[in-house]
Each structure stands twice: as structure tokens, then as C-alpha cells.
Amino acid sequence: MRRLVLKSIAVAAIGLTAAANVYAADPAKKEITIGTTVGDFGDQVKQQIKPLLEKQGYSVKLVEFTDYVRPNLALQEGSLDVNVFQHKPYLDNFARENKLQLKEVFQVPTAPLGIYAGKLKSLKDVKIGSTLAAPNDPSNFARALVMLNDLGWVKLKKGINPLTASEKDIEVNVKKIKIVPLEAAQLPRSRADVDFAVVNGNYAVSSGIKLTEAVYQEKSYAYVNWGVVRAADAAKPWAKDVIAAYNSPAFRAWAKQKYAGYKFPANWK
């Protein structure tokens, strides 16, 4: 009997230790600072991820950006612990050019890139010389070119890498489209001045544009966005807790209800 009691106590102690590992904040880090672009990624933190992590004992701070440059620089220098705003092709290119040691560790629900009406209201209204605003960063600009190629408005050279396509890779500009490169955050407002605008999903949502209003959406799933940390932090307990929060059943259920029409992380299937 005594042996049975001792065994029960030992099992209970192991259970308490396991629970502590799952539910207690990393003792080496109490505050987690997450950087996102304004819009849905910030909303995900405020409405779901922050409460989930705070239940574990963390203090969570959100910093919202309006550009695609500062979040990675801030992460590398240590003023952020995690950022959520970019797809892998952009991260790989930015990290290589700026010699940053960053690592993607989880995917997030992502609004797809879309073409939205400006002065012209339908794809069939496109004419020779139509103007189209597009994101000016290389990765998202390449995505826009692939969309134009899919529509037949331009013809890209054979054999090019679609992830790095640029204007020099246009073999034929079938519709003589005049592309106007702009900062991503300016694209929703640009619609009053151009015939069409290629708008990043998060900026469309934050500007009150419904994704269903897009006259065309990209087909590729290569651009589902990632949560990124410094490479040296990827295996730390607090980072694993952030990853777990973004992959939790509670967050999945909430996201699938809230973000109809989004592309979801590959590991959610």
C-alpha cells in the first residue's frame, strides 16, 4: 500500500512538472514584443495571441508598422522578439541583402494579394495603356507581375524565377500596362488615381476593403505569411510558446470563422 501511495505521489509530481512546462511562462523571459503590420496581423495578436500568452504568465506588447522594412531591422536589433508580416520569399531576399540572422517558425492566416478596381471597375474594361499601382518591394512586385501574366496582360520571359520577376523580365507588355510602384500602405488610397491597384491583403482589410471585392486574386500558396524570430531564439521555450499559440485549436477555430477567403497555414490541413 505504501509503495502504491509513493508511486501515486511520484506520478502526480511528474504531472505537475509537465503542466508547468506547458502553462508557465519561460522564467528567462517574461515579456514578449511582437511586431506586425497594421491590420489583420495586429488584430490576431490583440484578439487571440496576446490573451493566450498572457494566460501562461507572459506580458505581451504589440508594435504595429506601416512599412515592410523596419519590422525586420527592429527584430534583428532586439527591439522586437517576433514579427508577423512577410512571406518567405520576401524574408529570404531581405535577410540576404541586409545580412540578418532571422528564421521563419510558424505560418499565419494570410489575405491573398488581389487586383482591385480603381477608375475601371472590371477586368474586361482594361484598355491599352491602363495604369496599375503595385507594391514597390521586389518580392510583392514579382507577385503582381505573375498575376498580370496569368491574366494575359503581360507575357513574362520563359524560364524566369517567378519569385524574383522584375520589369526586365517582361517579354511583351500586351496591354501596354503602365505600372506605378508604390509603398504597400499607399495602395488602397491610390485607387482613385489609377485604373487598377494590386493591394496586399492586410492593407486591403485594414482599409475597409472586402477581399471579395477583388476583381482578381493570386493563385499561388507560396506567399502564406510567416512569424519570424532571430535564428538564435528559435528553440527557446518562449518562442515555442508563441508557436504553440499560433497553432492552437482556439486560434485555428477563431481564424477560420473570422477570415473566410484567406489562405491558411499548410500544417492546418
Side-chain angles (χ1 to χ4, degrees):
M1 182 67 179
R2 181 172 179 274
R3 183 176 299 173
L4 182 60
V5 171
L6 289 174
K7 184 177 180 181
S8 297
I9 293 172
V11 170
I14 292 171
L16 287 171
T17 300
N21 288 339
V22 173
Y23 298 112
D26 181 351
K29 187 172 184 62
K30 298 295 185 182
E31 181 176 281
I32 298 173
T33 303
I34 302 175
T36 72
T37 41
V38 174
D40 48 3
F41 298 132
D43 292 341
Q44 290 167 22
V45 174
K46 286 180 280 192
Q47 297 179 34
Q48 286 288 308
I49 301 304
K50 187 174 188 285
L52 286 170
L53 290 172
E54 288 180 342
K55 285 180 181 178
Q56 294 179 249
Y58 290 103
S59 173
V60 179
K61 179 183 178 183
L62 171 65
V63 180
E64 295 181 286
F65 296 86
T66 57
D67 69 277
Y68 291 157
V69 174
R70 290 181 297 155
N72 278 333
L73 300 179
L75 179 59
Q76 181 67 46
E77 72 183 16
S79 57
L80 298 178
D81 298 305
V82 185
N83 71 36
V84 180
F85 78 99
Q86 65 195 316
H87 51 69
K88 194 172 185 300
Y90 179 84
L91 170 65
D92 290 345
N93 183 67
F94 192 94
R96 181 174 58 253
E97 289 186 351
N98 294 277
K99 298 180 173 57
L100 307 182
Q101 300 299 313
L102 305 178
K103 182 172 179 56
E104 72 282 359
V105 289
F106 60 86
Q107 288 186 312
V108 294
T110 306
L113 196 69
I115 297 178
Y116 293 84
K119 293 178 180 179
L120 300 180
K121 304 307 177 185
S122 171
L123 293 177
K124 66 182 180 182
D125 295 331
V126 68
K127 54 192 177 184
I128 298 299
S130 284
T131 54
L132 177 136
N136 66 359
D137 63 279
S139 183
N140 286 307
F141 189 82
R143 294 168 71 184
L145 289 181
V146 170
M147 293 171 72
L148 297 183
N149 183 78
D150 290 342
L151 284 170
W153 292 5
V154 305
K155 182 179 179 182
L156 296 177
K157 297 174 182 176
K158 292 182 179 180
I160 65 159
N161 183 347
L163 302 181
T164 59
S166 66
E167 281 197 88
K168 70 176 192 275
D169 295 314
I170 297 175
E171 184 172 70
V172 182
N173 190 339
V174 179
K175 295 292 185 179
K176 302 290 190 295
I177 300 295
K178 297 176 182 176
I179 303 174
V180 183
L182 296 172
E183 286 287 339
Q186 298 176 23
L187 291 167
R189 295 191 300 273
S190 75
R191 295 191 300 157
D193 302 314
V194 295
D195 294 322
F196 298 97
V198 179
V199 184
N200 298 71
N202 60 311
Y203 284 118
V205 172
S206 65
S207 299
I209 302 171
K210 295 180 180 178
L211 298 182
T212 53
E213 294 177 18
V215 294
Y216 188 80
Q217 287 185 335
E218 68 182 338
K219 299 175 181 178
S220 176
Y221 276 78
Y223 300 100
V224 175
N225 285 10
W226 288 84
V228 178
V229 299
R230 289 178 293 278
D233 291 338
K236 291 182 178 178
W238 66 263
K240 291 182 178 179
D241 287 338
V242 174
I243 295 168
Y246 272 97
N247 285 299
S248 66
F251 181 66
R252 291 189 192 199
W254 175 84
K256 286 184 175 180
Q257 181 177 23
K258 184 176 179 65
Y259 296 124
Y262 275 50
K263 289 186 168 71
F264 294 106
N267 67 328
W268 286 18
K269 295 178 181 179

